[in-house]
Every structure is written in C-alpha cells, then in structure tokens.
Amino acid sequence: LVEEMLPFEGRSDLCKASENLITISKSLSSVKNKMITEQSYKIVREENYGLINNFLPEIDIPFFEGDYDNWGTFKELFQLLIGNREIPDIQKMLFLKSKLRGDALRCIRHISIKGDNYQLAWSILEEEFSNNRFFISQSFKRLLYAPNTTSTVESIGELKAIVHENMQALNNVGLNAEEKFEALVTFIIEGKLDDKLIMDFELSLPTSKEIPKIKNLTEFLNHRHHILRARAMLSNDDKKENGAGSSNS
C-alpha cells in the first residue's frame, strides 16, 4: 500500500534501502557467528589444555650455573615451559632469575626485574653461553678419547651411548659433512700444539667462539714458522760475527 502511494522514483529508493538493510543484517549475523565460533574454540582449547595438564607430571627446570655443557638443555626446557608461553615478560624475567646460579646469574644480576628487560637478559645469556665451538670440541674429545670397549653388554652399551649422544650434539650445531670433517682435522692438529702455541692461535682468531678452519691453522703455523726461522737465522749470523771478532782480536 505504501509503495502504491509513492511515485515511481520513491519506490525505487525504498527498494534500495530495503536491500541495504538486508545486506547489513547478513553482515552483522556473520560477524556474530564468527565471534561465537572463536569464543567457543577458545573455551574448548582452554578446557582441553587444562585437561591435558591434569594428566602431565609437573616438569621442573634445573638450575643453570654457567656450565656450557648444560646450557643447551636449560635453554630448551626454559623456552618450552616459560619462554614460549603467553605470559607477561616480567613473569618470565622473575622465573629466569630464580633459575640461575653462579656465573650465569652474575651475567645478568645488574639488570633490574622489568618486563622490558627480559629479552635483554636472555640475549646476554645466549651470547655468553651459546658456544658451538665448545660443543664441537667436547664432542670430538669424547669420541676420540672414549674408553676401550670389551665384549660385554655394559662396555658396548657405554660406547653406543657416547657415540649417539655426541653425534646428535654435532648434528644440532648445523654443520654440513664437509664442515664437520674440516673441524675434526683442525681439532686433531690443535691437539699436537703445546700450550703456548694453542694460546697464540686462539688469539689470532677473530672470536673465541669461531669454529676455526684448516686455513686458519695452516696460515698461523706458516706465519709462526717464518718468524722463528728468521729469528734463528739472525741469531746464527750474530754468533758468526761474534766468533769472527773474537778470533781477530
């Protein structure tokens, strides 16, 4: 009846307005349904998470005192149980400091407990204790100097454990086969140097954490050899000159 009373143009505007209202209504309904779905998923997820937690034993993160050998395990457990959780950074910072002792705690003891400082504290620990060169050297040492194995269950089992543990550690470093071989050869040659040569070689590297290459070691040995040979020749010349002077007198 209303449409019959309106002119043709008015009827057209009324139809457009009705279509717009229908479109808006559908959009609002879609948004509402999406919000309900997301909320339901969140509730189910939280309920399931709580249910799973009820069945899981509580895992305690061991204290970290600054031992390189224990850094990998501590880092993995801390990130899994604390670092990757959606909790405020200030709580992560509190828990991090509560799990550090000795040298590890001294690294960040000057950092105040604030949420903004958590990432800074973690990066300092990473820089100090993430040392791939140490891990590689330790693995090579344990493999090369593993105890002799006898035909007993215990002895063979011990060797298997040493091989498995240290090969896994080498794989975790991320070197390819060629890089591992080069690192092994360098490690073996380093073992032939005396303490002074080892110290001088370490000082010749850009950083103490750098995994040295054979080229680094051969260049160092060549350089040291040239210096010592030149000094020896000069010393011999001085002796000859002194000997000649004594005979003339």
Side-chain angles (χ1 to χ4, degrees), residues 119-146:
Q119 294 297 336
L120 172 62
W122 187 258
S123 65
I124 290 174
L125 293 173
E126 281 269 26
E127 176 65 24
E128 182 67 24
F129 299 108
S130 290
N131 191 333
N132 285 339
R133 184 182 179 190
F134 172 82
F135 298 142
I136 288 175
S137 297
Q138 285 294 92
S139 295
F140 287 155
K141 184 183 297 183
R142 289 167 183 157
L143 288 169
L144 291 173
Y145 301 108

mmCIF file of all heavy atoms in Angstrom, residues 119-146:
data_model
loop_
_atom_site.group_PDB
_atom_site.id
_atom_site.type_symbol
_atom_site.label_atom_id
_atom_site.label_comp_id
_atom_site.label_asym_id
_atom_site.label_seq_id
_atom_site.Cartn_x
_atom_site.Cartn_y
_atom_site.Cartn_z
ATOM 1 N N GLN A 119 64.018 -9.711 27.333
ATOM 2 C CA GLN A 119 64.703 -10.023 26.082
ATOM 3 C C GLN A 119 66.186 -9.663 26.162
ATOM 4 O O GLN A 119 67.037 -10.380 25.617
ATOM 5 C CB GLN A 119 64.038 -9.288 24.909
ATOM 6 C CG GLN A 119 62.627 -9.742 24.599
ATOM 7 C CD GLN A 119 62.575 -11.197 24.161
ATOM 8 O OE1 GLN A 119 63.561 -11.753 23.668
ATOM 9 N NE2 GLN A 119 61.426 -11.837 24.328
ATOM 10 N N LEU A 120 66.502 -8.576 26.844
ATOM 11 C CA LEU A 120 67.905 -8.177 27.012
ATOM 12 C C LEU A 120 68.662 -9.223 27.823
ATOM 13 O O LEU A 120 69.768 -9.640 27.452
ATOM 14 C CB LEU A 120 67.975 -6.816 27.708
ATOM 15 C CG LEU A 120 69.375 -6.348 28.136
ATOM 16 C CD1 LEU A 120 70.275 -6.176 26.919
ATOM 17 C CD2 LEU A 120 69.283 -5.046 28.936
ATOM 18 N N ALA A 121 68.067 -9.666 28.921
ATOM 19 C CA ALA A 121 68.721 -10.663 29.773
ATOM 20 C C ALA A 121 68.937 -11.968 29.019
ATOM 21 O O ALA A 121 70.011 -12.581 29.100
ATOM 22 C CB ALA A 121 67.871 -10.910 31.024
ATOM 23 N N TRP A 122 67.932 -12.378 28.272
ATOM 24 C CA TRP A 122 68.052 -13.630 27.530
ATOM 25 C C TRP A 122 69.127 -13.539 26.448
ATOM 26 O O TRP A 122 69.890 -14.482 26.232
ATOM 27 C CB TRP A 122 66.713 -14.030 26.917
ATOM 28 C CG TRP A 122 66.754 -15.384 26.301
ATOM 29 C CD1 TRP A 122 66.858 -15.700 24.974
ATOM 30 C CD2 TRP A 122 66.735 -16.636 26.994
ATOM 31 N NE1 TRP A 122 66.897 -17.052 24.798
ATOM 32 C CE2 TRP A 122 66.822 -17.663 26.013
ATOM 33 C CE3 TRP A 122 66.653 -16.994 28.332
ATOM 34 C CZ2 TRP A 122 66.835 -19.007 26.341
ATOM 35 C CZ3 TRP A 122 66.651 -18.340 28.670
ATOM 36 C CH2 TRP A 122 66.742 -19.333 27.680
ATOM 37 N N SER A 123 69.204 -12.393 25.779
ATOM 38 C CA SER A 123 70.212 -12.227 24.719
ATOM 39 C C SER A 123 71.624 -12.236 25.309
ATOM 40 O O SER A 123 72.565 -12.730 24.677
ATOM 41 C CB SER A 123 69.963 -10.924 23.950
ATOM 42 O OG SER A 123 70.135 -9.791 24.776
ATOM 43 N N ILE A 124 71.800 -11.719 26.524
ATOM 44 C CA ILE A 124 73.107 -11.739 27.177
ATOM 45 C C ILE A 124 73.510 -13.176 27.486
ATOM 46 O O ILE A 124 74.669 -13.575 27.270
ATOM 47 C CB ILE A 124 73.088 -10.887 28.462
ATOM 48 C CG1 ILE A 124 72.981 -9.406 28.105
ATOM 49 C CG2 ILE A 124 74.332 -11.140 29.307
ATOM 50 C CD1 ILE A 124 72.814 -8.494 29.300
ATOM 51 N N LEU A 125 72.579 -13.967 27.984
ATOM 52 C CA LEU A 125 72.870 -15.372 28.272
ATOM 53 C C LEU A 125 73.200 -16.142 26.988
ATOM 54 O O LEU A 125 74.111 -16.975 26.973
ATOM 55 C CB LEU A 125 71.680 -16.017 28.985
ATOM 56 C CG LEU A 125 71.383 -15.503 30.394
ATOM 57 C CD1 LEU A 125 70.077 -16.106 30.922
ATOM 58 C CD2 LEU A 125 72.531 -15.825 31.339
ATOM 59 N N GLU A 126 72.455 -15.867 25.932
ATOM 60 C CA GLU A 126 72.720 -16.511 24.641
ATOM 61 C C GLU A 126 74.136 -16.191 24.167
ATOM 62 O O GLU A 126 74.875 -17.074 23.722
ATOM 63 C CB GLU A 126 71.701 -16.030 23.603
ATOM 64 C CG GLU A 126 70.345 -16.696 23.692
ATOM 65 C CD GLU A 126 70.277 -17.929 22.821
ATOM 66 O OE1 GLU A 126 71.319 -18.551 22.542
ATOM 67 O OE2 GLU A 126 69.163 -18.281 22.410
ATOM 68 N N GLU A 127 74.501 -14.930 24.252
ATOM 69 C CA GLU A 127 75.818 -14.502 23.793
ATOM 70 C C GLU A 127 76.935 -15.140 24.615
ATOM 71 O O GLU A 127 77.986 -15.505 24.092
ATOM 72 C CB GLU A 127 75.916 -12.969 23.877
ATOM 73 C CG GLU A 127 77.275 -12.396 23.521
ATOM 74 C CD GLU A 127 77.663 -12.614 22.079
ATOM 75 O OE1 GLU A 127 76.759 -12.795 21.237
ATOM 76 O OE2 GLU A 127 78.874 -12.609 21.785
ATOM 77 N N GLU A 128 76.688 -15.300 25.896
ATOM 78 C CA GLU A 128 77.729 -15.803 26.794
ATOM 79 C C GLU A 128 77.894 -17.316 26.718
ATOM 80 O O GLU A 128 79.016 -17.830 26.744
ATOM 81 C CB GLU A 128 77.388 -15.398 28.245
ATOM 82 C CG GLU A 128 78.428 -15.822 29.273
ATOM 83 C CD GLU A 128 79.749 -15.094 29.106
ATOM 84 O OE1 GLU A 128 79.750 -13.981 28.537
ATOM 85 O OE2 GLU A 128 80.775 -15.652 29.546
ATOM 86 N N PHE A 129 76.782 -18.043 26.588
ATOM 87 C CA PHE A 129 76.859 -19.498 26.759
ATOM 88 C C PHE A 129 76.552 -20.310 25.501
ATOM 89 O O PHE A 129 76.754 -21.524 25.514
ATOM 90 C CB PHE A 129 75.928 -19.936 27.891
ATOM 91 C CG PHE A 129 76.283 -19.328 29.214
ATOM 92 C CD1 PHE A 129 75.495 -18.334 29.775
ATOM 93 C CD2 PHE A 129 77.426 -19.720 29.890
ATOM 94 C CE1 PHE A 129 75.828 -17.757 30.992
ATOM 95 C CE2 PHE A 129 77.775 -19.160 31.106
ATOM 96 C CZ PHE A 129 76.969 -18.170 31.660
ATOM 97 N N SER A 130 76.061 -19.681 24.445
ATOM 98 C CA SER A 130 75.865 -20.407 23.184
ATOM 99 C C SER A 130 77.200 -20.431 22.443
ATOM 100 O O SER A 130 77.573 -19.458 21.782
ATOM 101 C CB SER A 130 74.781 -19.745 22.328
ATOM 102 O OG SER A 130 73.509 -19.922 22.909
ATOM 103 N N ASN A 131 77.921 -21.527 22.569
ATOM 104 C CA ASN A 131 79.282 -21.608 22.036
ATOM 105 C C ASN A 131 79.425 -22.898 21.243
ATOM 106 O O ASN A 131 79.772 -23.952 21.791
ATOM 107 C CB ASN A 131 80.296 -21.568 23.187
ATOM 108 C CG ASN A 131 81.720 -21.385 22.694
ATOM 109 O OD1 ASN A 131 82.054 -21.756 21.574
ATOM 110 N ND2 ASN A 131 82.564 -20.819 23.541
ATOM 111 N N ASN A 132 79.140 -22.818 19.945
ATOM 112 C CA ASN A 132 79.186 -24.020 19.107
ATOM 113 C C ASN A 132 80.586 -24.624 19.044
ATOM 114 O O ASN A 132 80.736 -25.847 18.929
ATOM 115 C CB ASN A 132 78.704 -23.687 17.692
ATOM 116 C CG ASN A 132 77.208 -23.531 17.625
ATOM 117 O OD1 ASN A 132 76.481 -24.028 18.488
ATOM 118 N ND2 ASN A 132 76.715 -22.864 16.595
ATOM 119 N N ARG A 133 81.608 -23.774 19.117
ATOM 120 C CA ARG A 133 82.963 -24.311 19.058
ATOM 121 C C ARG A 133 83.235 -25.206 20.265
ATOM 122 O O ARG A 133 83.864 -26.261 20.142
ATOM 123 C CB ARG A 133 83.984 -23.175 19.008
ATOM 124 C CG ARG A 133 85.393 -23.730 18.842
ATOM 125 C CD ARG A 133 86.437 -22.653 18.830
ATOM 126 N NE ARG A 133 87.761 -23.243 18.697
ATOM 127 C CZ ARG A 133 88.883 -22.569 18.842
ATOM 128 N NH1 ARG A 133 88.850 -21.280 19.099
ATOM 129 N NH2 ARG A 133 90.042 -23.173 18.717
ATOM 130 N N PHE A 134 82.783 -24.785 21.418
ATOM 131 C CA PHE A 134 82.971 -25.600 22.622
ATOM 132 C C PHE A 134 82.241 -26.930 22.482
ATOM 133 O O PHE A 134 82.790 -27.994 22.801
ATOM 134 C CB PHE A 134 82.457 -24.849 23.848
ATOM 135 C CG PHE A 134 82.442 -25.681 25.097
ATOM 136 C CD1 PHE A 134 83.588 -25.861 25.852
ATOM 137 C CD2 PHE A 134 81.273 -26.299 25.505
ATOM 138 C CE1 PHE A 134 83.571 -26.639 27.000
ATOM 139 C CE2 PHE A 134 81.246 -27.079 26.653
ATOM 140 C CZ PHE A 134 82.397 -27.250 27.403
ATOM 141 N N PHE A 135 80.980 -26.870 21.995
ATOM 142 C CA PHE A 135 80.198 -28.102 21.856
ATOM 143 C C PHE A 135 80.872 -29.075 20.885
ATOM 144 O O PHE A 135 80.925 -30.286 21.128
ATOM 145 C CB PHE A 135 78.787 -27.778 21.373
ATOM 146 C CG PHE A 135 78.008 -26.918 22.327
ATOM 147 C CD1 PHE A 135 77.151 -25.931 21.863
ATOM 148 C CD2 PHE A 135 78.140 -27.092 23.696
ATOM 149 C CE1 PHE A 135 76.440 -25.142 22.742
ATOM 150 C CE2 PHE A 135 77.425 -26.302 24.588
ATOM 151 C CZ PHE A 135 76.575 -25.315 24.106
ATOM 152 N N ILE A 136 81.382 -28.542 19.776
ATOM 153 C CA ILE A 136 82.043 -29.391 18.785
ATOM 154 C C ILE A 136 83.322 -30.006 19.366
ATOM 155 O O ILE A 136 83.570 -31.209 19.230
ATOM 156 C CB ILE A 136 82.371 -28.576 17.517
ATOM 157 C CG1 ILE A 136 81.086 -28.267 16.748
ATOM 158 C CG2 ILE A 136 83.338 -29.324 16.613
ATOM 159 C CD1 ILE A 136 81.288 -27.378 15.549
ATOM 160 N N SER A 137 84.132 -29.182 20.030
ATOM 161 C CA SER A 137 85.378 -29.681 20.610
ATOM 162 C C SER A 137 85.107 -30.749 21.660
ATOM 163 O O SER A 137 85.812 -31.772 21.713
ATOM 164 C CB SER A 137 86.174 -28.521 21.232
ATOM 165 O OG SER A 137 86.552 -27.587 20.240
ATOM 166 N N GLN A 138 84.098 -30.537 22.484
ATOM 167 C CA GLN A 138 83.759 -31.515 23.508
ATOM 168 C C GLN A 138 83.304 -32.834 22.880
ATOM 169 O O GLN A 138 83.665 -33.920 23.351
ATOM 170 C CB GLN A 138 82.657 -30.967 24.417
ATOM 171 C CG GLN A 138 83.130 -29.910 25.400
ATOM 172 C CD GLN A 138 84.097 -30.460 26.428
ATOM 173 O OE1 GLN A 138 85.318 -30.425 26.238
ATOM 174 N NE2 GLN A 138 83.589 -30.990 27.516
ATOM 175 N N SER A 139 82.507 -32.741 21.825
ATOM 176 C CA SER A 139 82.018 -33.958 21.166
ATOM 177 C C SER A 139 83.172 -34.735 20.532
ATOM 178 O O SER A 139 83.248 -35.963 20.658
ATOM 179 C CB SER A 139 80.973 -33.602 20.110
ATOM 180 O OG SER A 139 79.821 -33.045 20.709
ATOM 181 N N PHE A 140 84.068 -34.014 19.847
ATOM 182 C CA PHE A 140 85.235 -34.688 19.247
ATOM 183 C C PHE A 140 86.097 -35.351 20.327
ATOM 184 O O PHE A 140 86.566 -36.480 20.163
ATOM 185 C CB PHE A 140 86.077 -33.686 18.466
ATOM 186 C CG PHE A 140 85.466 -33.246 17.168
ATOM 187 C CD1 PHE A 140 85.798 -32.022 16.590
ATOM 188 C CD2 PHE A 140 84.564 -34.057 16.501
ATOM 189 C CE1 PHE A 140 85.242 -31.624 15.386
ATOM 190 C CE2 PHE A 140 84.003 -33.667 15.297
ATOM 191 C CZ PHE A 140 84.340 -32.452 14.741
ATOM 192 N N LYS A 141 86.303 -34.644 21.427
ATOM 193 C CA LYS A 141 87.142 -35.175 22.500
ATOM 194 C C LYS A 141 86.531 -36.450 23.082
ATOM 195 O O LYS A 141 87.230 -37.441 23.314
ATOM 196 C CB LYS A 141 87.298 -34.116 23.598
ATOM 197 C CG LYS A 141 88.236 -34.529 24.723
ATOM 198 C CD LYS A 141 88.287 -33.462 25.817
ATOM 199 C CE LYS A 141 88.855 -32.163 25.277
ATOM 200 N NZ LYS A 141 88.975 -31.139 26.364
ATOM 201 N N ARG A 142 85.226 -36.436 23.299
ATOM 202 C CA ARG A 142 84.572 -37.614 23.881
ATOM 203 C C ARG A 142 84.572 -38.799 22.918
ATOM 204 O O ARG A 142 84.653 -39.945 23.356
ATOM 205 C CB ARG A 142 83.149 -37.253 24.285
ATOM 206 C CG ARG A 142 83.087 -36.331 25.495
ATOM 207 C CD ARG A 142 81.719 -35.745 25.673
ATOM 208 N NE ARG A 142 81.688 -34.810 26.795
ATOM 209 C CZ ARG A 142 80.791 -33.842 26.936
ATOM 210 N NH1 ARG A 142 79.847 -33.692 26.014
ATOM 211 N NH2 ARG A 142 80.815 -33.048 27.979
ATOM 212 N N LEU A 143 84.486 -38.514 21.634
ATOM 213 C CA LEU A 143 84.504 -39.605 20.656
ATOM 214 C C LEU A 143 85.915 -40.169 20.481
ATOM 215 O O LEU A 143 86.105 -41.389 20.430
ATOM 216 C CB LEU A 143 83.967 -39.108 19.307
ATOM 217 C CG LEU A 143 82.459 -38.831 19.232
ATOM 218 C CD1 LEU A 143 82.117 -38.099 17.947
ATOM 219 C CD2 LEU A 143 81.664 -40.130 19.317
ATOM 220 N N LEU A 144 86.907 -39.278 20.380
ATOM 221 C CA LEU A 144 88.281 -39.727 20.134
ATOM 222 C C LEU A 144 88.901 -40.387 21.357
ATOM 223 O O LEU A 144 89.745 -41.279 21.221
ATOM 224 C CB LEU A 144 89.138 -38.549 19.690
ATOM 225 C CG LEU A 144 88.818 -37.971 18.299
ATOM 226 C CD1 LEU A 144 89.616 -36.700 18.063
ATOM 227 C CD2 LEU A 144 89.114 -38.984 17.205
ATOM 228 N N TYR A 145 88.493 -39.953 22.537
ATOM 229 C CA TYR A 145 89.087 -40.494 23.763
ATOM 230 C C TYR A 145 88.096 -41.348 24.555
ATOM 231 O O TYR A 145 88.215 -41.464 25.779
ATOM 232 C CB TYR A 145 89.629 -39.351 24.629
ATOM 233 C CG TYR A 145 90.676 -38.525 23.926
ATOM 234 C CD1 TYR A 145 90.391 -37.233 23.486
ATOM 235 C CD2 TYR A 145 91.940 -39.045 23.661
ATOM 236 C CE1 TYR A 145 91.339 -36.479 22.814
ATOM 237 C CE2 TYR A 145 92.897 -38.301 23.001
ATOM 238 C CZ TYR A 145 92.593 -37.016 22.573
ATOM 239 O OH TYR A 145 93.537 -36.277 21.904
ATOM 240 N N ALA A 146 87.143 -41.918 23.845
ATOM 241 C CA ALA A 146 86.213 -42.839 24.503
ATOM 242 C C ALA A 146 86.988 -44.046 25.037
ATOM 243 O O ALA A 146 87.989 -44.456 24.442
ATOM 244 C CB ALA A 146 85.143 -43.300 23.514
#
